[in-house]
Every structure is written in C-alpha cells, then in structure tokens.
Amino acid sequence: MPEGADGSTDDGAAAIAQNRGKTGSGGNAGRPRREMALSSSAEGRATRDVFMSAKVAPLSKSDAPSEIAAKPPRRSRAESREQAINQIIDIATNEFVEKGLAGARIDEIAGKATKRKIYYYFEGKDELYRAVLERAYTRVRESEAHVDIESGTAAEALHRLIEHDVHYHARHPELVRLVMNENIHRAEHLKQITGLPQGNRRVIDILQTIITRGQNEGLFRDGIDPVDLHFNLTALSFYNVSNQFTFAHNFGVDMTSDEAIARRAVQVADIILAWVTKKD
C-alpha cells in the first residue's frame, strides 16, 4: 500500500486536499497546456514534499500491541433466550418468596424487568410462578447429582450427601419458602409442572444406590425405604431454615451462622446414620 494511503497522516492528507483545491480552481482558466503541466509537476513535487515531511514512522515491535483483543463471541438465539428467562425468574423468585403467589404482582416484577418481555415468555403470573418452582426443584436435584457417592464406604457417602443437603437448604432459603408457600396451595401448581416428579426421583435413586451398597458392605440394616430416608434427612435440613426466626426469638440461637450450619449438618448426619446403621 503507498505511504499514507490509509489516511493516517492527517497533515499530509490536508495538504493534498488543499493542493487539489488549488489545481481545480478557476485560476487555471486560459493557462497554456505546457505551463499547466509544468505547474502541476511542481505542485506534485510540493505535495510529495509536504506528504513526506508529515508521514508517521511505523510502530516498532515494542510499540505494537502484543495481540488484538478479540470480540466476545455472539450468543446464539437459544443462549440469549435462556439468559432472558433466567433474569425474569431471578426477579420473580424474590417477589414470590417475599409476598407469596397471592401477594406478588406482575407490575412489581416488570418494574425490574419489562412487562413486554415477561408476557413474551410467559402467559401470566401463574405460569411464571410455576417456572420459579420448577427451577428451584431442578437446581437442588442437580446439586445432589454432583455429590461424590462413590469414594469411601456407603456410610461416608451418605454422610456427604446429608451434609450437602443441610448446607444447600441453608444457602438457598428461597427453596424452603417456595415449598412452604406451595404447600399452602396444596401443591396445586406443582401438579401442573410436567416431568417434575420424575426429576425429583433422581435423589431417591441416589439414596437407593447408597442403601444397597451399605447393606452389601454389612453396614446398613435391612428394610430401609429410600423415600423414608429422603423424608427424614430433608425434614431435618428444612427446619433450621423454615423456623430460624421463631427459634432464634424463643431460644436466642442464631441458626444462620456458618458455625451453626456446619454443626447442624454434622448432627443431622449422625442422627440419620444412627437410624440406618445395623445394630449388633
């Protein structure tokens, strides 16, 4: 590329433009062709001199950027849709947790999102509420699926799962309050979420795997129902979140501190393991 052809030398470009203006002006009218040619040649040399005096030295390797910052890849339509839905559900979760289904208002949720966007993805408040419920249940089941139940003994695997559930409920009080609210509605909306019972069965399958292994190892007693096991460990994980305010008022115990949650997790694990362990 000729020097300055990229327009980077502003002074040189200005000089060229100025000289072109003079060449094209009415001052050339009636001048002999040879005189004009000589004049144009002289102007050309003058232009070149100005251009050369104004040119910028090329960047050295040390001055040049080490790499050009790449633009972040554009999200696909599916990714953008998922992000938009999750943002709406985040806002709606807080509203439903604080005010329940009856007290929550689409206008309040839309004030932090947009009503047009909400109605683009959801038919109304009830469908949005069901989406909030479904995501809350799905997330706890997904978290349990990542607990290591393979290493160590079955008792150690069960201990890890129980501690995980206690910590999860403590870190996600919105799950507890949503479940409590849905029980007020007698699971009316939960029943309308297709496939949710099958998704919740995953934790029962995990527990059955641990029970069978513990029995084969000679550690667990016979006759343990995985649904009963889930019922008991969930109830004990649930209480210190659902009753944290009344319990703290009545007995002066802070059930939300890291120390209290860790202590509770060990206690619940010990209680459950004492129930499933084979007695001599």
Side-chain angles (χ1 to χ4, degrees), residues 174-191:
E174 74 279 1
L175 170 64
V176 174
R177 296 184 70 175
L178 286 168
V179 172
M180 292 170 65
N181 186 70
E182 183 58 10
N183 273 285
I184 293 174
H185 295 280
R186 300 177 183 272
E188 173 188 342
H189 296 86
L190 210 62
K191 294 171 184 175

Side-chain angles (χ1 to χ4, degrees), residues 5-66:
D6 62 351
S8 60
T9 54
D10 294 337
D11 294 338
I16 293 171
Q18 184 179 8
N19 279 285
R20 283 179 176 171
K22 290 178 180 178
T23 303
S25 68
N28 289 332
R31 295 173 64 185
R33 186 181 302 274
R34 177 176 175 78
E35 182 181 345
M36 289 178 63
L38 289 172
S39 176
S40 296
S41 177
E43 288 176 356
R45 285 195 297 273
T47 297
R48 183 188 63 193
D49 292 340
V50 172
F51 182 87
M52 294 299 290
S53 66
K55 74 176 181 179
V56 179
L59 290 173
S60 66
K61 289 184 179 180
S62 59
D63 295 330
S66 58

Side-chain angles (χ1 to χ4, degrees), residues 203-218:
V203 68
I204 305 303
D205 295 337
I206 290 171
L207 290 170
Q208 183 60 72
T209 299
I210 296 174
I211 291 169
T212 301
R213 184 168 147 216
Q215 290 169 341
N216 292 336
E217 291 171 352

Side-chain angles (χ1 to χ4, degrees), residues 152-160 210 213-214 217 219-220 273 277:
T153 64
E156 290 168 339
L158 182 57
H159 198 287
R160 282 192 294 271
I210 296 174
R213 184 168 147 216
E217 291 171 352
L219 297 173
F220 293 170
L273 284 167
T277 300

Side-chain angles (χ1 to χ4, degrees), residues 37-272:
L38 289 172
S39 176
S40 296
S41 177
E43 288 176 356
R45 285 195 297 273
T47 297
R48 183 188 63 193
D49 292 340
V50 172
F51 182 87
M52 294 299 290
S53 66
K55 74 176 181 179
V56 179
L59 290 173
S60 66
K61 289 184 179 180
S62 59
D63 295 330
S66 58
E67 61 181 45
I68 299 174
K71 290 183 178 180
R74 294 182 63 182
R75 291 192 300 269
S76 67
R77 182 173 297 181
E79 289 172 332
S80 297
R81 180 180 185 276
E82 182 179 0
Q83 183 183 44
I85 290 174
N86 273 317
Q87 287 174 345
I88 294 170
I89 293 177
D90 285 341
I91 297 167
T93 296
N94 292 331
E95 290 294 317
F96 289 128
V97 163
E98 291 300 320
K99 302 172 184 176
L101 175 60
R105 295 286 182 269
I106 284 290
D107 285 344
E108 292 293 323
I109 299 169
K112 303 177 183 68
T114 67
K115 185 176 287 190
R116 181 182 61 82
K117 187 182 291 186
I118 290 172
Y119 282 106
Y120 180 80
Y121 292 112
F122 304 98
E123 292 182 358
K125 185 171 74 168
D126 284 358
E127 186 180 5
L128 180 55
Y129 173 70
R130 289 193 293 272
V132 167
L133 276 176
E134 182 174 13
R135 193 181 72 170
Y137 272 100
T138 299
R139 284 183 169 179
V140 67
R141 297 290 87 92
E142 287 176 346
S143 74
E144 290 164 337
H146 287 90
V147 176
D148 174 21
I149 63 167
E150 300 296 331
S151 60
T153 64
E156 290 168 339
L158 182 57
H159 198 287
R160 282 192 294 271
L161 183 62
I162 294 168
E163 287 205 32
H164 166 82
D165 272 10
V166 173
H167 281 278
Y168 188 93
H169 282 79
R171 290 194 302 267
H172 297 275
E174 74 279 1
L175 170 64
V176 174
R177 296 184 70 175
L178 286 168
V179 172
M180 292 170 65
N181 186 70
E182 183 58 10
N183 273 285
I184 293 174
H185 295 280
R186 300 177 183 272
E188 173 188 342
H189 296 86
L190 210 62
K191 294 171 184 175
Q192 299 178 52
I193 303 175
T194 304
L196 192 60
Q198 289 80 1
N200 280 322
R201 286 289 311 181
R202 287 190 292 178
V203 68
I204 305 303
D205 295 337
I206 290 171
L207 290 170
Q208 183 60 72
T209 299
I210 296 174
I211 291 169
T212 301
R213 184 168 147 216
Q215 290 169 341
N216 292 336
E217 291 171 352
L219 297 173
F220 293 170
R221 62 179 177 80
D222 294 332
I224 303 170
D225 187 325
V227 175
D228 287 344
L229 177 54
H230 176 63
F231 182 94
N232 288 326
L233 73 87
T234 301
L236 292 170
S237 301
F238 204 89
Y239 184 88
N240 61 311
V241 181
S242 64
N243 292 54
Q244 60 181 282
F245 301 108
T246 54
F247 201 88
H249 175 74
N250 289 331
F251 302 104
V253 177
D254 178 10
M255 302 169 73
T256 63
S257 68
D258 291 342
E259 180 183 359
I261 294 167
R263 183 172 64 252
R264 181 63 178 166
V266 172
Q267 290 172 354
V268 173
D270 288 345
I271 292 168
I272 296 296

